[in-house]
Amino acid sequence: MNSQEMYEKMKSRLEKIVPDVELRIKAEIAVEIEELKVQKNAVILGHNYMEPALFYSIPDFTGDSLDLSRKAAQTDKNVIVFCGVRFMAETAKILNPTKTVLLPAERAGCSLAASITAEDVRNLKARFPGVPVVTYVNTYADVKAESDICCTSSNAIAVVESLKSDTVIFLPDEYLAKNVANETGKHIVFPTPGARNFTDSGLDYQMIGWHGRCEVHEKFTVADIQAVRAQFPDVVVLTHPECSPEVVAASDFSGSTNAMIRYVQETKARRYLVLTECAMGDNIAAANPEKDMLRLCMVRCPHMNTITMEETRDALKFNRYIIDVPEEIRVKAYRAVQRMIQIG
Ligand code: 13P
Ligand code: SF4
């Protein structure tokens, strides 16, 4: 495909979202990336939060965390370029130890992944012996290695229920844990490090959580929703389950990034507010031109936003930034990730 053809392809989707002057520049970079992809026998996986020009041009697959983990597990390409954040690229490496996994921006982290260490998990296991550990996929490999099973926002409830255990440790997202507890009717506790042991506290609990938060979703408030509803009474409000339970309760639908995309596609309402990374609102708007998408763009994910088309091209050109996971950690983390992938 030459750059004119690429520009036409991108324009057909993004005409109302990205100005022409940007589309022309991005189309040229997209062509370079396509050529490098063939030369390097690479696949590009793009998370739903990627900026619209990237999202609608270079990825071979787009999707939510669970979807992209599955795609990573199935690829036969030599190189996987992950347009997402480090924990996602690490998950691809855990599943593909012999392949080269590249993350286009070195510092694409995540506040949830940074909120807990492997030692924290070992301490919790010592405090609650025999209780299975579920970790959100938004964690680093050494934390996954200490876990029985991982989950994403799209299968968290199914994963917890699959364990058939009276009690589970659910880490590290406080809000996702509370939302799962609400959905499954479980009582959740948050033990403070070093405090009295809950096991002999007499308290009735079925989930043990941690105080990690997504620095984006924690900022949305019920007042934000009320203000938008006052201005647009017909708005349908969608939230990611990393939002607080109060915000989730004030919304009309809560689900993973894929689930929110599907919801807008399948629902007849005219106007939506998507409380998640702002770029995803642009991507949904591009796919649903007949619907009005509102988003609160004053809250952005600083990590996802470091992944650009320029960085992705340079990742392929200069073989950077290579993701490595020590083999002894990878083998243990693989068990937890593989178990998750098998759950719907
Ligand atoms: P999804 O699994 O819903 O794609 O979410 C990933 C994420 O990082 C949300 O902030
Ligand atoms: Fe992490 Fe939140 Fe950014 Fe998702 S949006 S990558 S959970 S900081």
Side-chain angles (χ1 to χ4, degrees):
M1 197 182 290
N2 63 31
S3 56
Q4 180 61 29
E5 288 162 343
M6 181 62 83
Y7 161 78
E8 301 287 350
K9 176 187 147 188
M10 291 165 75
K11 190 177 166 80
S12 67
R13 256 299 188 222
L14 297 171
E15 191 164 29
K16 297 212 174 88
I17 310 282
V18 183
D20 235 41
V21 59
E22 183 181 335
L23 276 185
R24 291 251 176 227
I25 295 166
K26 297 275 168 86
E28 297 217 345
I29 303 173
V31 170
E32 271 187 83
I33 293 173
E34 287 300 329
E35 286 165 7
L36 285 161
K37 239 189 334 191
V38 177
Q39 274 171 33
K40 308 267 166 141
N41 191 27
V43 64
I44 298 187
L45 306 179
H47 187 261
N48 290 327
Y49 288 165
M50 290 298 102
E51 53 130 337
L54 189 161
F55 186 80
Y56 283 110
S57 60
I58 52 166
D60 298 283
F61 301 100
T62 54
D64 66 9
S65 311
L66 183 61
D67 225 10
L68 295 181
S69 303
R70 290 205 168 107
K71 292 293 185 296
Q74 289 157 3
T75 188
D76 58 0
K77 301 287 186 192
N78 295 341
V79 177
I80 301 171
V81 181
F82 216 118
C83 290
V85 290
R86 177 167 289 266
F87 74 80
M88 297 178 178
E90 269 194 4
T91 306
K93 184 66 183 179
I94 289 164
L95 292 162
N96 293 284
T98 60
K99 297 185 198 298
T100 302
V101 177
L102 302 176
L103 179 67
E106 205 174 14
R107 288 194 306 279
C110 169
S111 66
L112 279 170
S115 73
I116 191 159
T117 65
E119 199 187 344
D120 292 329
V121 187
R122 284 192 290 272
N123 287 341
L124 279 167
K125 288 201 290 191
R127 215 161 147 191
F128 301 96
V131 178
V133 178
V134 180
T135 50
Y136 196 25
V137 75
N138 298 36
T139 46
Y140 292 121
D142 55 346
V143 166
K144 290 184 172 78
E146 295 295 335
S147 317
D148 294 285
I149 186 166
C150 291
C151 74
T152 73
S153 56
S154 73
N155 65 5
I157 293 170
V159 165
V160 167
E161 288 180 341
S162 77
L163 292 171
K164 310 222 177 317
S165 173
D166 291 341
T167 316
V168 297
I169 298 173
F170 190 103
L171 309 169
D173 187 349
E174 174 188 339
Y175 288 159
L176 179 65
K178 283 180 173 168
N179 288 319
V180 170
N182 284 346
E183 288 278 330
T184 54
K186 296 186 190 302
H187 183 228
I188 186 162
V189 290
F190 292 87
T192 9
R196 193 164 70 96
N197 207 339
F198 273 92
T199 21
D200 38 56
S201 64
L203 274 179
D204 175 34
Y205 60 90
Q206 298 83 39
M207 280 176 79
I208 297 148
W210 189 254
H211 285 297
R213 301 252 185 103
C214 163
E215 67 189 274
V216 177
H217 293 95
E218 73 168 344
K219 296 209 180 76
F220 298 121
T221 64
V222 174
D224 292 333
I225 297 180
Q226 285 165 344
V228 176
R229 284 199 199 279
Q231 190 180 355
F232 303 100
D234 63 343
V235 74
V236 173
V237 181
L238 281 67
T239 50
H240 193 277
E242 289 169 10
C243 293
S244 74
E246 295 75 23
V247 166
V248 167
S251 71
D252 300 293
F253 176 79
S254 183
S256 75
T257 55
N258 265 14
M260 288 191 276
I261 292 170
R262 258 195 323 269
Y263 186 91
V264 176
Q265 258 151 16
E266 292 167 5
T267 309
K268 292 219 160 29
R270 196 185 123 219
R271 202 190 307 275
Y272 301 83
L273 169 69
V274 218
L275 291 185
T276 194
E277 161 54 34
C278 178
M280 198 175 95
D282 288 337
N283 294 336
I284 302 181
N288 299 274
E290 73 293 357
K291 294 176 176 167
D292 290 343
M293 299 302 305
L294 305 172
R295 50 252 191 220
L296 298 183
C297 293
M298 72 277 194
V299 184
R300 303 297 309 255
C301 176
H303 311 287
M304 289 283 183
N305 277 294
T306 58
I307 308 293
T308 62
M309 291 185 72
E310 290 82 350
E311 297 278 16
T312 307
R313 175 198 56 205
D314 291 350
L316 278 163
K317 234 185 198 171
F318 306 118
N319 210 35
R320 74 185 193 200
Y321 295 92
I322 294 176
I323 298 294
D324 268 324
V325 177
E327 186 58 13
E328 69 280 10
I329 289 177
R330 190 199 68 79
V331 171
K332 289 205 244 161
Y334 178 84
R335 282 199 311 256
V337 173
Q338 191 54 30
R339 255 181 106 182
M340 163 189 88
I341 285 181
Q342 280 154 5
I343 294 185

